Amino acid sequence: VSTTIAVVLMLAVVAYAVFGGADYGAGFWDLIAGGPDRGSRPRRVIERAIGPVWEANHVWLIFIFVVLWTAFPEAYASITLTLYVPLAIAALGIVLRGTSFAFRKVVVSTRYRRMFGAGFASSSVLVPYCMGAIAGGIASGEVPAGGEAGDPVDSWINPTSVVSGVLAVAVVAYLAAVYLVWDARRQGDAEMVEYFRRRALVAAVVVAGVSTVGLLILRADASHVFDGLESRGLALVVVTVGCGAGALVLLVRGAPRGARLLAMLAVASLIASWGAAQWPYLLPESLTVSDAAAPTGTLQAVLAAVVLAILFVLPGFVLLFVLHQRDLLPEEGVEDAGDQAPEQLPS
Amino acid sequence: VSATLNELVAIADVDPVPWARAQMAFTLACHIILVPLGVSWALMTLIANYRAIRHDDRDALVLAQRWSKYMAVTFAVGAVTGTVLSFEFGLLWPKFMGRWGEAFGVPFAFEGLFFFTEAIFLAIYIFGWRRLKPWTHFWTGVPIVLAGIFGSASVVAANAWMNSPSGFTLDSNGNVVDVDPVGVIFNDAMPLQAAHMILAAYVVGGFLVASVYATGMLRGRQDRYHRLGFVIAFSVAAVATPIQMGVGDALARWVFNNQPAKFAAIEMVPETSQDVPETLLGHLNEDGTVSGGIKIPGLASWLSDPSTGTSTTVQGLNEFPADERPTTRQVNVVHLAWDVMIGLGTLLFLLSVWYAVSWIFRRRMPTSKWFLRAAACSGVLAIITMEAGWVVAEVGRQPWIVYHHMKVEDAATANTGIWIMFVAVVVLYLALGVTTILVLRAMSRRFRRSGAFTDHDTPYGPSAPAADSAAPDEKAEEGAAR
């Protein structure tokens, strides 16, 4: 049972990365879109693309936490005791990001839109970096077993953490750019299609570069995971490279829909390969999944919740995305005269 | 320089327990204000939405529309402040989570389902006004209401488990070796605590929304739109309030039977006795005497068990070792919070009665200035009532985090730097609170200035009249934010 729950946990991380991650990545492009005039068109595409879905995507994170602390409480205690600094920064970043985005949508004056936009966009970069650094700290064996604290500084300021943090930012930016190409096309904005296509290509190259550097660092800094990537995770690594290359080709040839799917698969298998490489450890070389697992009754309850989620929540999640993709969720409420800037009001 | 640094380190090197408690209390106190809106506003919006479709009611339609826009903001704030709590379980209470996570965590696995459902359908509802069919759109709102109810029940189940831990087996070292999930979720305290919180959500949400429209009416905006907004929200609160009093009474009796130390703190009973008076206000001294306050003879005993009346024995604080009951200071906090909850709750109940009487005899809501003034205060009063009730529940269970199994001081992190996070959280949340209120106010002002929808873009419902917009005021939003 503990293996099944570990797979569920991995799938939740994958889902958070490919859905929620793209929302963070959109924030990255928002951040570097330029001043209020130049950046208004890409920002509009971004806002419409993630507006209805970011909160649902955000729930994957809660789900990850819940599974972790319920099914693997000892590991959760160790992780939070050791990596509290990046976790605390991520928590505050999440608050800043979610609220700034919600506020920016409902204010009209440029000054306030810029202020909230800055909060949204900068935290969109900070949070994935912290998440990546946390993953790197876990992968490189910085977190001890037994609900004990590891080094509060070295556990997240180390080569593996830094490279995973940068990789996380690059990956979410890449994903977001690929999705936004498709979103811009749906919104019928040819110029923005080209805009995000160029950025997706650059991001793809950056991801490939950072990944290569990351592999070299892993070899030196986290040999268990590196060995795992060469054996247990090798098939997934191959899938990652294949899908990534395929997505690149499709992007160059202007087929955003296929590119989106392949990019998703590439990122999903990238993260899954990390999970496979760690196996059988939850905290590499200190705590295995089976040792960390809670009593069977708890695991069965978590499993029951997962089954219920598949039966009842997943259809809703799919419905939300289908409606969104078909443009049936165009904007909040309807256009209210009160949503326009005062100068646009008929007088 | 090194001496200064050492000094700084010494200052930073504090006992983490009070900081952990303070941060948990502060973030929960903030989050608990947003919860009622998440749970109950959806119902009020659906009532307005139903009226709009069923009776072709344009005012109701505008209300439902705008409420859904406000909800998008409050839900976002509630979602992220809730997320912070899931970080804090580990950041502040790692030892508690490490040892009890397998039991305490179970209700959250189900809460996750409901939160997911809520987020999904809220998005569909809020963004679906224009392109979904009217009734289809209405029905996408129903899961939000249900998910709100069951989601709160799940979260409260976890809190109730801390008060009434069950559904697990311990080995000789005190480690959890076996968990019965059903026993964890449906622990003894859960049904009443969950009902009390869900009703509180409707009471607070109803009064809070109604108080905004009452304020508007006091400022002369007596149109049908404002009256409708008031009536829908206030009716929800007025129906929930009397039920809440009954549930609260039952819950108090549950505490009397199951958490006698908490009950002794609530009623400020230093020594076990019969014919215990109900003390209003007053103060417990370190030597165990009670000074001040108004005593109503025998009432606490009578309320604890009406079947035995004033001869009911109430256990006093003297029954419990000092390290297994709230401290004197905590007793005073609990007792004062209790009085505040009961006092304000009674006032809100009387206000609901006033409203009901007017409907029964005059077939309309009371419109006197004094009623509206009271109603305008009811939102803030309801929040204070809820916060006070929550203080009773949480301070009253001290020093236990898991009743009779683990103390708070043994559950906290050993990390001495957490005061930095506390300061950061307080600053961020204060800014967040102020901004949320300003943003909601700015929205409301814009809506008011503009009158109604732009006429080319009406959702389902009758065609829009031309927007009777007032003179554009470019600085109004900036002014509102200052």
Side-chain angles (χ1 to χ4, degrees):
Chain A
V1 188
S2 64
T3 310
T4 317
I5 301 290
V7 171
V8 166
L9 184 62
M10 199 69 239
L11 289 176
V13 174
V14 167
Y16 185 50
V18 297
F19 296 113
D23 299 340
Y24 286 107
F28 174 81
W29 298 117
D30 194 299
L31 184 67
I32 59 166
D37 294 328
R38 203 154 57 88
S40 69
R41 271 176 77 183
R43 289 203 176 97
R44 191 175 144 71
V45 175
I46 288 165
E47 204 161 284
R48 286 185 62 177
I50 72 174
V53 293
W54 76 269
E55 270 169 321
N57 291 340
H58 174 73
V59 185
W60 288 109
L61 176 65
I62 313 253
F63 192 73
I64 292 167
F65 271 125
V66 168
V67 172
L68 193 61
W69 81 51
T70 310
F72 308 108
E74 187 191 318
Y76 177 71
S78 288
I79 293 170
T80 50
L81 266 167
T82 307
L83 293 160
Y84 59 87
V85 178
L87 280 167
I89 297 173
L92 300 182
I94 284 169
V95 173
L96 190 61
R97 184 184 108 93
T99 52
S100 300
F101 185 69
F103 292 152
R104 185 173 74 167
K105 273 191 304 191
V106 294
V107 297
V108 292
S109 75
T110 309
R111 194 172 131 208
Y112 289 107
R113 287 185 62 87
R114 284 185 76 170
M115 191 179 87
F116 291 128
F120 158 67
S122 56
S123 49
S124 291
V125 177
L126 193 64
V127 175
Y129 178 84
C130 288
M131 302 281 188
I134 291 164
I138 294 171
S140 56
E142 297 281 352
V143 181
E148 298 293 324
D151 191 298
V153 179
D154 290 352
S155 58
W156 63 287
I157 302 184
N158 64 65
T160 309
S161 283
V162 171
V163 80
S164 341
V166 174
L167 184 62
V169 175
V171 162
V172 296
Y174 162 70
L175 265 186
V178 176
Y179 295 179
L180 286 166
V181 174
W182 172 245
D183 288 314
R185 171 166 292 193
R186 277 196 301 120
Q187 296 173 21
D189 192 337
E191 199 181 311
M192 284 298 115
V193 170
E194 192 48 35
Y195 177 96
F196 284 113
R197 198 174 69 96
R198 278 199 310 272
R199 280 157 180 75
L201 289 171
V202 173
V205 174
V206 172
V207 169
V210 176
S211 305
T212 315
V213 175
L215 277 175
L216 295 174
I217 288 176
L218 275 185
R219 203 168 101 181
D221 198 37
S223 53
H224 175 80
V225 173
F226 183 79
D227 294 343
L229 285 175
E230 284 190 323
S231 52
R232 297 173 292 273
L234 188 62
L236 288 162
V237 174
V238 172
V239 173
T240 307
V241 174
C243 289
L248 202 61
V249 171
L250 288 182
L251 269 178
V252 171
R253 296 177 58 176
R257 204 167 180 176
R260 193 174 58 140
L261 188 67
L262 285 181
M264 254 176 154
L265 280 174
V267 173
S269 52
L270 174 73
I271 291 165
S273 70
W274 163 45
Q278 272 200 201
W279 190 259
Y281 291 106
L282 187 60
L283 304 174
E285 299 186 84
S286 60
L287 186 64
T288 63
V289 166
S290 58
D291 286 343
T296 318
T298 305
L299 300 184
Q300 284 167 343
V302 174
L303 218 51
V306 170
V307 171
L308 288 174
I310 292 168
L311 289 178
F312 296 103
V313 180
L314 199 62
F317 197 67
V318 171
L319 177 70
L320 173 64
F321 273 83
V322 169
L323 291 175
H324 183 42
Q325 292 293 319
R326 292 197 181 158
D327 274 332
L328 288 171
L329 305 175
E331 61 190 290
E332 277 182 27
V334 297
E335 211 174 298
D336 196 308
D339 284 340
Q340 296 171 5
E343 54 273 16
Q344 293 169 347
L345 279 177
S347 46
Chain B
V1 175
S2 74
T4 327
L5 265 179
N6 278 338
E7 228 168 87
L8 275 177
V9 169
I11 294 170
D13 199 27
V14 295
D15 177 12
V17 177
W19 293 95
R21 286 188 61 199
Q23 184 174 335
M24 199 72 203
F26 176 76
T27 45
L28 265 170
C30 294
H31 183 64
I32 207 174
I33 300 173
L34 293 151
V35 168
L37 292 174
V39 174
S40 63
W41 213 346
L43 176 76
M44 298 183 247
T45 306
L46 283 186
I47 294 173
N49 193 351
Y50 177 86
R51 256 201 88 81
I53 308 178
R54 193 78 221 203
H55 304 286
D56 222 9
D57 183 337
R58 190 171 164 76
D59 287 327
L61 185 65
V62 177
L63 265 181
Q65 277 275 325
R66 289 179 176 170
W67 280 356
S68 81
K69 287 190 184 192
Y70 294 129
M71 246 161 55
V73 174
T74 56
F75 187 79
V77 179
V80 293
T81 52
T83 307
V84 168
L85 295 174
S86 66
F87 278 82
E88 284 177 345
F89 283 145
L91 292 175
L92 305 178
W93 314 105
K95 293 179 197 159
F96 163 63
M97 293 307 286
R99 191 166 148 205
W100 300 101
E102 49 257 76
F104 174 76
V106 170
F108 288 101
F110 296 91
E111 191 267 343
L113 297 183
F114 296 118
F115 183 41
F116 233 133
T117 309
E118 197 176 355
I120 289 167
F121 283 94
L122 192 78
I124 295 177
Y125 184 78
I126 290 174
F127 285 85
W129 279 101
R130 201 147 56 127
R131 305 285 296 270
L132 299 178
K133 288 190 189 121
W135 283 111
T136 313
H137 176 253
F138 173 84
W139 282 105
T140 62
V142 174
I144 311 172
V145 177
L146 299 177
I149 292 172
F150 290 111
S152 341
S154 310
V155 174
V156 176
N159 180 275
W161 180 86
M162 294 157 79
N163 283 302
S164 175
S166 63
F168 57 89
T169 320
L170 298 177
D171 65 8
S172 51
N173 296 326
N175 294 316
V176 178
V177 287
D178 202 11
V179 173
D180 162 28
V182 178
V184 170
I185 297 173
F186 297 97
N187 61 74
D188 204 36
M190 181 264 188
L192 285 172
Q193 258 196 267
H196 202 48
M197 183 66 225
I198 292 164
L199 283 163
Y202 283 94
V203 171
V204 174
F207 281 127
L208 195 57
V209 173
S211 65
V212 173
Y213 290 87
T215 312
M217 287 157 89
L218 278 173
R219 290 186 184 158
R221 292 188 279 278
Q222 299 267 3
D223 48 37
R224 184 164 173 281
Y225 171 83
H226 279 84
R227 271 207 318 280
L228 194 62
F230 180 87
V231 166
I232 292 174
F234 202 90
S235 300
V236 166
V239 169
T241 302
I243 309 175
Q244 177 71 317
M245 294 188 92
V247 171
D249 182 53
L251 183 57
R253 217 156 289 135
W254 184 90
V255 172
F256 168 71
N257 287 315
N258 296 280
Q259 289 188 310
K262 185 191 274 185
F263 193 78
I266 286 172
E267 300 288 6
M268 214 155 68
V269 186
E271 276 174 40
T272 303
S273 47
Q274 293 181 329
D275 199 12
V276 177
E278 182 79 40
T279 311
L280 305 181
L281 301 174
H283 184 88
L284 179 71
N285 304 311
E286 285 291 345
D287 61 7
T289 55
V290 175
S291 50
I294 306 154
K295 290 192 169 64
I296 305 174
L299 187 63
S301 278
W302 189 83
L303 284 172
S304 303
D305 188 352
S307 66
T308 47
T310 53
S311 61
T312 311
T313 306
V314 178
Q315 284 182 285
L317 293 161
N318 65 330
E319 294 279 330
F320 314 96
D323 62 344
E324 291 188 10
R325 59 169 158 85
T327 62
T328 304
R329 228 176 99 218
Q330 286 165 344
V331 169
N332 282 314
V333 170
V334 170
H335 180 71
L336 179 66
W338 172 264
D339 285 347
V340 168
M341 175 181 78
I342 300 292
L344 294 183
T346 309
L347 281 180
L348 292 172
F349 172 71
L350 293 176
L351 199 61
S352 306
V353 171
W354 188 348
Y355 179 77
V357 167
S358 174
W359 272 108
I360 291 167
F361 292 103
R362 296 200 209 145
R363 307 247 156 235
R364 63 175 171 80
M365 62 169 281
T367 47
S368 75
K369 272 251 164 0
W370 279 108
F371 175 79
L372 288 178
R373 277 179 194 141
C377 299
S378 66
V380 173
L381 293 182
I383 289 176
I384 297 172
T385 313
M386 174 178 64
E387 297 274 9
W390 171 70
V391 166
V392 170
E394 302 305 297
V395 180
R397 81 176 143 76
Q398 300 299 323
W400 302 105
I401 190 163
V402 183
Y403 195 64
H404 283 170
H405 285 285
M406 187 187 232
K407 287 186 182 164
V408 171
E409 63 193 38
D410 301 323
T413 180
N415 167 16
T416 52
I418 58 164
W419 64 274
I420 301 170
M421 189 185 175
F422 175 73
V423 173
V425 162
V426 170
V427 171
L428 183 64
Y429 272 42
L430 288 180
L432 182 61
V434 171
T435 314
T436 306
I437 292 167
L438 290 179
V439 164
L440 292 176
R441 265 187 55 190
M443 284 170 79
S444 141
R445 288 187 180 191
R446 273 205 323 271
F447 286 149
R448 200 160 67 234
R449 268 206 319 278
S450 67
F453 302 121
T454 49
D455 50 9
H456 67 278
D457 197 24
T458 314
Y460 49 90
S463 67
D468 55 327
S469 57
D473 178 4
E474 300 195 10
K475 291 288 172 217
E477 189 183 31
E478 290 194 11
R482 281 203 191 110

